[in-house]
Every structure is written in C-alpha cells, then in structure tokens.
Amino acid sequence: MATTIKNSQPEILENVVIRFVGDSGDGMQLTGMQFTDTSAMFGNDVATFPNYPSEIRAPQGSLYGVSGFQVHIGSVEISTPGEDLDLLVCMNPAALKTNLSALKAGHTIIIDTDSFTKKNLEKALYASNPLEDGSLNNYRVIEVAMTSLTKVALKDMGLDNKSITRSKNMFALGMVYWMYDRDMNYTLEFFAKKFAKKPIIAEANSKVLKTGFYFAETLELIPNSFSISPSKMPKGTYRIINGNQATAWGFLAAAEKSGLELFLGSYPITPASDILHELVKHKHFGVKAFQAEDEIAGITSSIGASFAGDFAITTTSGPGLALKGEAIGLAMILELPLVIVNVQRGGPSTGLPTKTEQSDLLQAMYGRNGESPLIVIAASTPANCFDWAYEAARLTLEHMTPVLLLTDGYIANGSEPWKIKSIKDMPPITHKQIKGGDPEKWNVYDRDSVTLAREWAIPGTKGFEHRVGGLEKDKTTGNVSYIPENHEYMTNIRAEKVQRVQNSIPDLKADFNDEGDLLIIGWGGTFGSLHSAAKQLSDEDYKVGHAHFNYINPFPKNTAEVFSKFKKIVVCELNNGQLAFILRGKFPNIEFSQYNKVQGLPFGASELTKKFKTLIK
Amino acid sequence: MTEATKYTFKDFASDQEVRWCPGCDDYVILRAMQKALPEMGVKKEDVVFISGIGCSSRFPYYIDSYGMHSIHGRAPAIASGVKLANPDLSVWVITGDGDSLAIGGNHFIHVLRRNLNLNIILFNNEIYGLTKGQFSPTSLIGQKTKTSPYGNTQPPFSPGELGIGAQARFFARIGGNTPKEMTQLFIEAEKFQGTSLIEVLQNCVIFNDGCFTKYTDKAVRPDKQIHLEHNKPMLFGKDRDKGLVLNGLKLEVVTLGENGITESDLLVHDAKEPDPTLHSMLVRLDYPLATGIIRAVEELTFEAREDALTKEVSANSKFNKVDDLFFSGETYQVK
Ligand code: SF4
C-alpha cells in the first residue's frame, strides 16, 4: 500500500512539523533531539515539544506508554513546536493510534511494519490492522520493515538482540535526514562522543543511521523530498537550549554578575528536577546545590543560606509550591532575597506531572496565609527562561523581597535556538549586603527611600548582630511587636515595596497593532502560540494586537492604557481563567473575554484564530 | 581568637525582656548558654541561633548574636542552609520536643544523618507549652493533658534513641536544673566536629511541672542519675557504690562490695566507640537515667565532604567563568 511518487527536484518549504512517536523505550526523545540539533546547526529556526508518559517504562506497546517528540523547523521565524503534522514517524500501533489525528490529510506517515504484530495491535485496541483495512487511505504511508532491516544491517557485528532492536530509531532518523536534506555528520559525531567507551555501539548506531539514509535514497519509496533553507536569524553564536537549562544558566549568570555564591535548596519533582540536575554539575562556580529531605527543607535551607549571605533559590512544581507556602511567607516577612521557581504542570494534586498547564497562577499570587504579596514574573519561551531567571535574581536582590518565577512543562522541556549571551552584556545586579559602616546608625528595618528595600546584614558582619523572625516586627528595630498600628504599617509597607517594583520594569507593549479590534492577552509559556495566531490574523489584515505579560505582580504601569486602545480583549490561558480573574479585580471597568484550555496540552494556532475571528465579528 | 576570650556573659545578653514563665527551666538554659559562649573562642558576630516555634524557640531573641525565630519544625533545615552558605559560623538550633519530633521530625532525622558541624539543643518538657498543654511525642502513656483528658495513648519517642537511630554522632543529656554541667556540655558540643544533639530535661512549671523530678531533684539525683564521663567507670550513687555491668544483652545495676563486685568489674564509658549498641542501651536506661555525653564519635562532616568534592571538581574543570560554559560544546554560528 506504499505509494511511490518520484520527484527529482526537492520541494522548497518554509516550515515543517515532524513528530517521532513510539514506545517509551524506543528512544524517540533522542531521535527528535538529534533532528533538532542538526537542523539548528544547518541554520533553521526550531522549536520542540517532547511529550512523554509519567511512567518510566510503561508496558511495551500500551497506549499510555507512547512517547513522542515534536519538532518544528523553518526558514522563517518559528515560535511554537507547531500544530498539524507534515510527517509522522511511527514505531508501533499504539503510537499510530494516539497520534494519527494530528497528521494533516494527504501527508506522510513512516511506519515500522515489523511492530504491527497481532499482539501489538491488540494492545493498541485495534480491531483490524490499519495497514490493511484502508483506514490510512487519506495519507501517504511509507511502510518499512525497520526492525528487520536493522537486524540485517547489524547481523555481523556480534551484538545481542536487544542492542540491535534498540537502534532501529536511527533507521527512522536516517530516512528523515534524507527526506529533509540534512547532513548526518552531527549525529555521527554525537555517537562517537557519547559511546566513546563502547565503540561497537557507536559503530552500530552509525551504521543503522546510514542504512536508513541510503534506504530512503535508493529505494524510491519516498514520496517526496523537501528542502528548508536556513532562516534569517540575527548573527551570532547559538546553541539549542531547553527552558530548564536556560533557567539554571540564568541563575549562574546572576550569581557571577552579583558576586554572590549561588545556593539551591531543592527536592526532586517533575518537571522541575532538570534545573537541580543542571546546577549540581557546577561546583566549579561555587554553586551549592543541596538536595533536601523534602520540599519544605528545600526552601527553608535556601532561606537559611540567604540569611547567611548567599544568593538563594529553590525550584519546584505545583504540589511542591503548595508545601512551600508557609516558608515563602517567612521569607517574605523576613524580607530576605529568595527566588522560588515553579515549573507548572497539570494539577490539582498530583494531576498530570508530565503535561503542561498554567493553573498555579493564583497559588503563586495568593497561596499563603496572611497578607503576603510576592513579586511574580513568568518566562514565556524556552530560551528566555534565561532572561527571566536573571531578572528574578535582579529583582529579589535589589528589592529584598522574594520573587516567584513561573515557567511550565511546555517551555521547560521544549527547546529552541538561544543566541548566547555573554555575562558582560547582562545588566548589572546590585545587592544590598552591608560591607561596613556604623552599626549604631543602622536598624534592621531601615529602608531605601526609593525601593523600600532593607539592608542585608549577614552573620559574620561585626556590630550588626540582630534577630529576625516570623513574628511581626517593629518597623525600625525588628524586635517583636504586637502593636496594632505597627502591624498595619508593616503589612502596607511590604505590599508597597512590591508595588514599587513598577518603577524598575519596562512598559507593556502590544505586538502587531497597538490599537484595534481585538487585544489578545496571555502570560508565560503560551507566548509562541498566541504570537503565531496573532501574526496570522494580522497578516490577514485583522486589527489585532498581542500583549503578553511577563510581569504579573506588579503589572507594568501602562497596562490599563494598553487595554484602552482596543475594542475587545480576550485573555487566553491554559487554566480556567486565573489571570482573567486577577485582571477583573485590578481593572473592574474593563471587560475581558476568555479563551481557556485545560487538557495538559499547549494551544494550537488554529483553535486560537478560529476563536479570535468569532470575537472580532 | 584572642579577642573572643574577652567576652563575658553580658556580651551575649540582648536588650529584649525575657518572657518565659517565672521558674521555667528555659531561664537556666539561657543563662548556661550566655556563660558558655564566651568560653568557646568564637566571635560574637559568627554565632547564629536558629529556632522553630514553641516556648523554647523564643531563645534567639534573648541572645545578642545573629538569630532567626523561624517556623514550626524547620530550624534544622534553615540552620543547614546557614552552615552550608558559611561553614565558618557557629550554628545552633534551638528546638523543643513538639518542634523537632512531631512537625519537624523529618528535618530532625536528616540533619543528624548528614552530620553538619552544628549544635542542636532539644528542650524536652514532654508537653506542648506555647499552645497550652497538649501531649507531645515525648509525653508518657497515661499522661493527662488538654488533648488526652483520660490519659495519653500514644507511646513516646526517646529523643536519644531516635537521634542515635538517625546516626547522631554526638548525643548528650542533661537535667534542666544543673547549670554548671550544662554550660560545660554546651562548650563540649561546640568543640565537637559534627552535629551535636543535646537533650535538656526541661521542666515546664505550668503544664507539666515535676515530670522529671524523680531523676532531677537534688535529693535523689546522685542515686537516680548516672553522669557519664568518657574513659571513667560507670559509677553512681550518693555513696559512689553503685555501677553498671553488662549481663548478657542487658545493662544491670550492681552494688560494689556485694557478690564480690569491685570497681574494676564495672563498664568503662567509651563515648567514642563507633558501634552505637551500648550507647543506645544507656540512652534507654530508666534506672539510673544516663546523663552527660553518651556518644561522641567524630567522622567527616557533610560540609567537609562537600568542600573536598568542590575543590576536586574545580581543579578538573575547564570552566572558570560562566561564559566558558555558555560558549562550550554544541554551539553554531549564524552569519
Ligand atoms: S509554658 Fe512551660 S515551657 Fe513554656 S515558658 Fe511557661 S513554663 Fe516554660
């Protein structure tokens, strides 16, 4: 049933969306990442979306054990991992069943036919074999006996059966490399390095990759071959980075710039653990990454480190943030610098650990006892997690109040090109540590007249010995105070201090149009989807603007003004309307429509444009 | 350190009015600490007290050094962060039986396991004081409290047994009415390289008055307590005529002169024995109650392990500055 279409000239495409799907043991993440890196090196803009089950090794062939990696490459600006697929690479029936609906009609599926056994079809709950029953007639199906071909290729190498079948993903990758005119060298070098100690495995993988590549080339089985030119990105040195790595590196940069040592107190939790994994590697920068006994010890050890003068952070995801609530309140009343990173995932409770969502916004804003406002900011793309981690550091160290940085599973695991920033090009960070001076003229809660930040006297500094604590403090001395007026004063000044951050952050800006019929609002990790949808509508001459919040508490000063220039406003979120709720409280005279989705998945551009068009009419 | 020796206990008294109930043993502990600190050879600005929540946890406010009165149960974790950030500091955790063994139980066992060089003073009064008289994890079976009006039905922890089970390298116990010995114990705890756990039998005059009297009352103390000293025979009693021997797998009280027992038959206390078996038996002993330094076994501290690893990693690293990292590995040029 394989279609044969010859085409001597490669078709020139602007962008292509490819998804590799298979069993969680089939190496789909690695395959996808190799394709991504190779494309980025070639000069394409790229964005990725790994989607994997929370079970480490789900039963083979099961529907819930399917692991996927989607990559969007282009010669044009790529701001999302894409929506509808141009190519689906499918390693088993379960993967086909769970992913077929995303493939555009008439487009290509590459299938490993060896995996379409009776047993696997049953596990995928197929009543009949889709390769035979005509259900794939609307697609171009490339049937390849990948497992057998891999076995033949490796038969003389003396490898065990498991190692052989494990490399069949490279057969698929080789085929896709040929289809999209990619160079194999990057991946061949990757094998040589990764398996330096096991050269036979490196050789086997290389051999299978090449076999797949030449198979695609020679056998005329490939319906089409495509070419995507390098995209026009700003000049510079790049690397592919995912959001968690970018977050970790932003903190490394901030520590070096501020001259402080970085302390991370953390407890493993999906999808935030990769920040911890990254930072434990960097002892050479003086990083103290402490894996604590629980979430609470993660944050409280950081509070201790901050009290003692380190730049301290803690990283977690939704349920962990709930556990840290009381301690965040402590950091807030102590007025110590601390960054709390929440890599959001589907909730509530354990929810959907490996899926994305934006449903912790209200928790971030209000999830503590008492009046305890924090600075809340959100990163919006994988690469800009670097900038927002750095900004979180700047804000907490300059304003002496905790900052809660929100990212999410989608941008944390997604990757894209990052134009590498050198530390010398980063803005300065001025912390408030006391170096000397007259302790007689100093009080614990003396404040900077502009920011209201207090000074940071750390243990070891002679003459500045003092006590802090979770009980309400006298507004000057920091001694315990139960005086009613003092409590109100302190409550207000802590809130005012957060509010005054407005003076040190840039204005909100609407992209595409700064006035018009519809303003599309979002925050955090939905930037790419909203940006593409807005761009598409704007290209079609709709008068839409896109304003995206990275600063959430406080909002930029000009927020109301930006809102006032549009006839309608729609707030788009991967939750049931949490930012919309906050906006209605802050701007009671403005009407906000909503578009919400809580499926553990990012927005697709087409659902958005459809919704926006109905709003404009 | 010559400068440090000039301190007197007044240098460590803050200007805050002490607010414990009159007659509470907390006063004794505070005073013992203020006397011990000048003898430790540490600078005042290098001393940090971290407490949780409860009566005892007001302690840091009364000492003129750096201090933090934090949240319930978390002091060991906060203190760990302080110590890791600056290993040169002298770090003290002030906690109670509820704070460390109930809500903070997890941090308590893990801080002992890791063995940072810090000191924990556990004020054990077998009751919740600040919340006004509920049973705690060390309250006895049958004890009548606000939340056990018919008698407590939850068996208690022994802090020392739990601590040694969690690999405490240093454990000492002291009555709340023996300030001199207490001062000495605090100095010894500071000298010890590793986590020191000191249980103070602290009488709460309001909610659990007299709970330790049968061991700590001046009149019965010599007969009911055995104050252990390293390398000394396990001898006790008003007339120094009683001692401990090992009978099978049990400790047994013997009287010198009876059945031909002489001092040389008694066990000799070895606080530095790495095997915790005998230390645990001593901790569990009800008669006589063991006080003094029961266990003091030094081994590499957590911060020393971390420091060695950091030096090793740094020596082998090609990264000096973050730019070296950012521009390393798989980068590519867009022209
Ligand atoms: S309630 Fe008990 S423990 Fe608390 S201060 Fe009063 S006497 Fe001391």
Side-chain angles (χ1 to χ4, degrees), chain A residues 23-38:
Chain A
D23 228 27
S24 46
D26 278 343
M28 294 295 96
Q29 305 301 322
L30 178 96
T31 311
M33 222 36 236
Q34 283 301 309
F35 187 80
T36 306
D37 287 349
T38 293

mmCIF file with all atom_site columns, all heavy atoms in Angstrom, chain A residues 23-38:
data_model
loop_
_atom_site.group_PDB
_atom_site.id
_atom_site.type_symbol
_atom_site.label_atom_id
_atom_site.label_alt_id
_atom_site.label_comp_id
_atom_site.label_asym_id
_atom_site.label_entity_id
_atom_site.label_seq_id
_atom_site.pdbx_PDB_ins_code
_atom_site.Cartn_x
_atom_site.Cartn_y
_atom_site.Cartn_z
_atom_site.occupancy
_atom_site.B_iso_or_equiv
_atom_site.pdbx_formal_charge
_atom_site.auth_seq_id
_atom_site.auth_comp_id
_atom_site.auth_asym_id
_atom_site.auth_atom_id
_atom_site.pdbx_PDB_model_num
ATOM 1   N N   . ASP A 1 23 ? 7.264  3.611  21.463 1.00 0.00 ? 23 ASP A N   1
ATOM 2   C CA  . ASP A 1 23 ? 7.187  3.173  22.843 1.00 0.00 ? 23 ASP A CA  1
ATOM 3   C C   . ASP A 1 23 ? 8.131  4.021  23.690 1.00 0.00 ? 23 ASP A C   1
ATOM 4   O O   . ASP A 1 23 ? 9.092  4.574  23.174 1.00 0.00 ? 23 ASP A O   1
ATOM 5   C CB  . ASP A 1 23 ? 7.663  1.714  22.890 1.00 0.00 ? 23 ASP A CB  1
ATOM 6   C CG  . ASP A 1 23 ? 6.703  0.867  23.668 1.00 0.00 ? 23 ASP A CG  1
ATOM 7   O OD1 . ASP A 1 23 ? 5.503  1.217  23.711 1.00 0.00 ? 23 ASP A OD1 1
ATOM 8   O OD2 . ASP A 1 23 ? 7.144  -0.139 24.231 1.00 0.00 ? 23 ASP A OD2 1
ATOM 9   N N   . SER A 1 24 ? 7.855  4.101  25.002 1.00 0.00 ? 24 SER A N   1
ATOM 10  C CA  . SER A 1 24 ? 8.757  4.939  25.793 1.00 0.00 ? 24 SER A CA  1
ATOM 11  C C   . SER A 1 24 ? 10.183 4.404  25.802 1.00 0.00 ? 24 SER A C   1
ATOM 12  O O   . SER A 1 24 ? 11.105 5.131  26.104 1.00 0.00 ? 24 SER A O   1
ATOM 13  C CB  . SER A 1 24 ? 8.222  5.172  27.209 1.00 0.00 ? 24 SER A CB  1
ATOM 14  O OG  . SER A 1 24 ? 7.785  3.970  27.759 1.00 0.00 ? 24 SER A OG  1
ATOM 15  N N   . GLY A 1 25 ? 10.370 3.142  25.405 1.00 0.00 ? 25 GLY A N   1
ATOM 16  C CA  . GLY A 1 25 ? 11.735 2.616  25.320 1.00 0.00 ? 25 GLY A CA  1
ATOM 17  C C   . GLY A 1 25 ? 12.349 2.722  23.930 1.00 0.00 ? 25 GLY A C   1
ATOM 18  O O   . GLY A 1 25 ? 13.468 2.255  23.709 1.00 0.00 ? 25 GLY A O   1
ATOM 19  N N   . ASP A 1 26 ? 11.656 3.346  22.998 1.00 0.00 ? 26 ASP A N   1
ATOM 20  C CA  . ASP A 1 26 ? 12.127 3.365  21.608 1.00 0.00 ? 26 ASP A CA  1
ATOM 21  C C   . ASP A 1 26 ? 13.101 4.494  21.284 1.00 0.00 ? 26 ASP A C   1
ATOM 22  O O   . ASP A 1 26 ? 13.548 4.624  20.141 1.00 0.00 ? 26 ASP A O   1
ATOM 23  C CB  . ASP A 1 26 ? 10.927 3.473  20.644 1.00 0.00 ? 26 ASP A CB  1
ATOM 24  C CG  . ASP A 1 26 ? 10.260 2.114  20.395 1.00 0.00 ? 26 ASP A CG  1
ATOM 25  O OD1 . ASP A 1 26 ? 10.900 1.095  20.701 1.00 0.00 ? 26 ASP A OD1 1
ATOM 26  O OD2 . ASP A 1 26 ? 9.115  2.089  19.907 1.00 0.00 ? 26 ASP A OD2 1
ATOM 27  N N   . GLY A 1 27 ? 13.392 5.336  22.248 1.00 0.00 ? 27 GLY A N   1
ATOM 28  C CA  . GLY A 1 27 ? 14.389 6.387  22.007 1.00 0.00 ? 27 GLY A CA  1
ATOM 29  C C   . GLY A 1 27 ? 13.894 7.547  21.165 1.00 0.00 ? 27 GLY A C   1
ATOM 30  O O   . GLY A 1 27 ? 14.640 8.158  20.403 1.00 0.00 ? 27 GLY A O   1
ATOM 31  N N   . MET A 1 28 ? 12.610 7.865  21.300 1.00 0.00 ? 28 MET A N   1
ATOM 32  C CA  . MET A 1 28 ? 12.040 8.931  20.477 1.00 0.00 ? 28 MET A CA  1
ATOM 33  C C   . MET A 1 28 ? 12.563 10.320 20.862 1.00 0.00 ? 28 MET A C   1
ATOM 34  O O   . MET A 1 28 ? 12.716 11.191 20.027 1.00 0.00 ? 28 MET A O   1
ATOM 35  C CB  . MET A 1 28 ? 10.501 8.919  20.577 1.00 0.00 ? 28 MET A CB  1
ATOM 36  C CG  . MET A 1 28 ? 9.858  7.688  19.980 1.00 0.00 ? 28 MET A CG  1
ATOM 37  S SD  . MET A 1 28 ? 10.090 7.568  18.186 1.00 0.00 ? 28 MET A SD  1
ATOM 38  C CE  . MET A 1 28 ? 11.498 6.492  18.040 1.00 0.00 ? 28 MET A CE  1
ATOM 39  N N   . GLN A 1 29 ? 12.835 10.518 22.177 1.00 0.00 ? 29 GLN A N   1
ATOM 40  C CA  . GLN A 1 29 ? 13.330 11.826 22.620 1.00 0.00 ? 29 GLN A CA  1
ATOM 41  C C   . GLN A 1 29 ? 14.700 12.097 22.009 1.00 0.00 ? 29 GLN A C   1
ATOM 42  O O   . GLN A 1 29 ? 14.973 13.179 21.502 1.00 0.00 ? 29 GLN A O   1
ATOM 43  C CB  . GLN A 1 29 ? 13.398 11.899 24.158 1.00 0.00 ? 29 GLN A CB  1
ATOM 44  C CG  . GLN A 1 29 ? 12.092 11.580 24.877 1.00 0.00 ? 29 GLN A CG  1
ATOM 45  C CD  . GLN A 1 29 ? 10.946 12.513 24.493 1.00 0.00 ? 29 GLN A CD  1
ATOM 46  O OE1 . GLN A 1 29 ? 11.142 13.708 24.290 1.00 0.00 ? 29 GLN A OE1 1
ATOM 47  N NE2 . GLN A 1 29 ? 9.756  11.970 24.357 1.00 0.00 ? 29 GLN A NE2 1
ATOM 48  N N   . LEU A 1 30 ? 15.545 11.072 22.046 1.00 0.00 ? 30 LEU A N   1
ATOM 49  C CA  . LEU A 1 30 ? 16.891 11.215 21.488 1.00 0.00 ? 30 LEU A CA  1
ATOM 50  C C   . LEU A 1 30 ? 16.827 11.459 19.982 1.00 0.00 ? 30 LEU A C   1
ATOM 51  O O   . LEU A 1 30 ? 17.500 12.340 19.445 1.00 0.00 ? 30 LEU A O   1
ATOM 52  C CB  . LEU A 1 30 ? 17.703 9.947  21.783 1.00 0.00 ? 30 LEU A CB  1
ATOM 53  C CG  . LEU A 1 30 ? 19.111 9.989  21.206 1.00 0.00 ? 30 LEU A CG  1
ATOM 54  C CD1 . LEU A 1 30 ? 20.085 10.451 22.278 1.00 0.00 ? 30 LEU A CD1 1
ATOM 55  C CD2 . LEU A 1 30 ? 19.544 8.647  20.647 1.00 0.00 ? 30 LEU A CD2 1
ATOM 56  N N   . THR A 1 31 ? 15.966 10.693 19.324 1.00 0.00 ? 31 THR A N   1
ATOM 57  C CA  . THR A 1 31 ? 15.819 10.831 17.878 1.00 0.00 ? 31 THR A CA  1
ATOM 58  C C   . THR A 1 31 ? 15.395 12.256 17.533 1.00 0.00 ? 31 THR A C   1
ATOM 59  O O   . THR A 1 31 ? 15.974 12.905 16.661 1.00 0.00 ? 31 THR A O   1
ATOM 60  C CB  . THR A 1 31 ? 14.752 9.834  17.367 1.00 0.00 ? 31 THR A CB  1
ATOM 61  O OG1 . THR A 1 31 ? 15.050 8.550  17.896 1.00 0.00 ? 31 THR A OG1 1
ATOM 62  C CG2 . THR A 1 31 ? 14.708 9.783  15.874 1.00 0.00 ? 31 THR A CG2 1
ATOM 63  N N   . GLY A 1 32 ? 14.390 12.741 18.241 1.00 0.00 ? 32 GLY A N   1
ATOM 64  C CA  . GLY A 1 32 ? 13.877 14.091 17.983 1.00 0.00 ? 32 GLY A CA  1
ATOM 65  C C   . GLY A 1 32 ? 14.921 15.155 18.261 1.00 0.00 ? 32 GLY A C   1
ATOM 66  O O   . GLY A 1 32 ? 15.072 16.119 17.501 1.00 0.00 ? 32 GLY A O   1
ATOM 67  N N   . MET A 1 33 ? 15.656 14.967 19.333 1.00 0.00 ? 33 MET A N   1
ATOM 68  C CA  . MET A 1 33 ? 16.662 15.959 19.714 1.00 0.00 ? 33 MET A CA  1
ATOM 69  C C   . MET A 1 33 ? 17.785 16.008 18.676 1.00 0.00 ? 33 MET A C   1
ATOM 70  O O   . MET A 1 33 ? 18.305 17.069 18.358 1.00 0.00 ? 33 MET A O   1
ATOM 71  C CB  . MET A 1 33 ? 17.212 15.583 21.091 1.00 0.00 ? 33 MET A CB  1
ATOM 72  C CG  . MET A 1 33 ? 17.425 16.731 22.059 1.00 0.00 ? 33 MET A CG  1
ATOM 73  S SD  . MET A 1 33 ? 16.253 18.068 22.023 1.00 0.00 ? 33 MET A SD  1
ATOM 74  C CE  . MET A 1 33 ? 17.345 19.460 21.756 1.00 0.00 ? 33 MET A CE  1
ATOM 75  N N   . GLN A 1 34 ? 18.157 14.841 18.133 1.00 0.00 ? 34 GLN A N   1
ATOM 76  C CA  . GLN A 1 34 ? 19.191 14.813 17.100 1.00 0.00 ? 34 GLN A CA  1
ATOM 77  C C   . GLN A 1 34 ? 18.730 15.563 15.853 1.00 0.00 ? 34 GLN A C   1
ATOM 78  O O   . GLN A 1 34 ? 19.470 16.337 15.276 1.00 0.00 ? 34 GLN A O   1
ATOM 79  C CB  . GLN A 1 34 ? 19.537 13.351 16.739 1.00 0.00 ? 34 GLN A CB  1
ATOM 80  C CG  . GLN A 1 34 ? 20.416 12.681 17.775 1.00 0.00 ? 34 GLN A CG  1
ATOM 81  C CD  . GLN A 1 34 ? 21.732 13.423 17.967 1.00 0.00 ? 34 GLN A CD  1
ATOM 82  O OE1 . GLN A 1 34 ? 22.431 13.726 17.011 1.00 0.00 ? 34 GLN A OE1 1
ATOM 83  N NE2 . GLN A 1 34 ? 22.044 13.751 19.208 1.00 0.00 ? 34 GLN A NE2 1
ATOM 84  N N   . PHE A 1 35 ? 17.476 15.331 15.483 1.00 0.00 ? 35 PHE A N   1
ATOM 85  C CA  . PHE A 1 35 ? 16.960 16.024 14.310 1.00 0.00 ? 35 PHE A CA  1
ATOM 86  C C   . PHE A 1 35 ? 16.945 17.534 14.551 1.00 0.00 ? 35 PHE A C   1
ATOM 87  O O   . PHE A 1 35 ? 17.274 18.334 13.672 1.00 0.00 ? 35 PHE A O   1
ATOM 88  C CB  . PHE A 1 35 ? 15.550 15.515 13.963 1.00 0.00 ? 35 PHE A CB  1
ATOM 89  C CG  . PHE A 1 35 ? 15.051 16.072 12.661 1.00 0.00 ? 35 PHE A CG  1
ATOM 90  C CD1 . PHE A 1 35 ? 15.471 15.522 11.452 1.00 0.00 ? 35 PHE A CD1 1
ATOM 91  C CD2 . PHE A 1 35 ? 14.195 17.163 12.634 1.00 0.00 ? 35 PHE A CD2 1
ATOM 92  C CE1 . PHE A 1 35 ? 15.045 16.049 10.247 1.00 0.00 ? 35 PHE A CE1 1
ATOM 93  C CE2 . PHE A 1 35 ? 13.769 17.700 11.428 1.00 0.00 ? 35 PHE A CE2 1
ATOM 94  C CZ  . PHE A 1 35 ? 14.191 17.140 10.231 1.00 0.00 ? 35 PHE A CZ  1
ATOM 95  N N   . THR A 1 36 ? 16.571 17.915 15.776 1.00 0.00 ? 36 THR A N   1
ATOM 96  C CA  . THR A 1 36 ? 16.505 19.331 16.137 1.00 0.00 ? 36 THR A CA  1
ATOM 97  C C   . THR A 1 36 ? 17.890 19.981 16.053 1.00 0.00 ? 36 THR A C   1
ATOM 98  O O   . THR A 1 36 ? 18.069 21.025 15.426 1.00 0.00 ? 36 THR A O   1
ATOM 99  C CB  . THR A 1 36 ? 15.994 19.471 17.584 1.00 0.00 ? 36 THR A CB  1
ATOM 100 O OG1 . THR A 1 36 ? 14.764 18.761 17.691 1.00 0.00 ? 36 THR A OG1 1
ATOM 101 C CG2 . THR A 1 36 ? 15.787 20.911 17.974 1.00 0.00 ? 36 THR A CG2 1
ATOM 102 N N   . ASP A 1 37 ? 18.854 19.362 16.707 1.00 0.00 ? 37 ASP A N   1
ATOM 103 C CA  . ASP A 1 37 ? 20.197 19.941 16.739 1.00 0.00 ? 37 ASP A CA  1
ATOM 104 C C   . ASP A 1 37 ? 20.778 20.057 15.330 1.00 0.00 ? 37 ASP A C   1
ATOM 105 O O   . ASP A 1 37 ? 21.356 21.075 14.967 1.00 0.00 ? 37 ASP A O   1
ATOM 106 C CB  . ASP A 1 37 ? 21.134 19.074 17.600 1.00 0.00 ? 37 ASP A CB  1
ATOM 107 C CG  . ASP A 1 37 ? 20.827 19.227 19.089 1.00 0.00 ? 37 ASP A CG  1
ATOM 108 O OD1 . ASP A 1 37 ? 20.045 20.136 19.438 1.00 0.00 ? 37 ASP A OD1 1
ATOM 109 O OD2 . ASP A 1 37 ? 21.361 18.447 19.891 1.00 0.00 ? 37 ASP A OD2 1
ATOM 110 N N   . THR A 1 38 ? 20.593 18.996 14.554 1.00 0.00 ? 38 THR A N   1
ATOM 111 C CA  . THR A 1 38 ? 21.117 19.010 13.192 1.00 0.00 ? 38 THR A CA  1
ATOM 112 C C   . THR A 1 38 ? 20.490 20.146 12.384 1.00 0.00 ? 38 THR A C   1
ATOM 113 O O   . THR A 1 38 ? 21.174 20.857 11.654 1.00 0.00 ? 38 THR A O   1
ATOM 114 C CB  . THR A 1 38 ? 20.844 17.643 12.524 1.00 0.00 ? 38 THR A CB  1
ATOM 115 O OG1 . THR A 1 38 ? 21.623 16.666 13.207 1.00 0.00 ? 38 THR A OG1 1
ATOM 116 C CG2 . THR A 1 38 ? 21.204 17.645 11.059 1.00 0.00 ? 38 THR A CG2 1
#
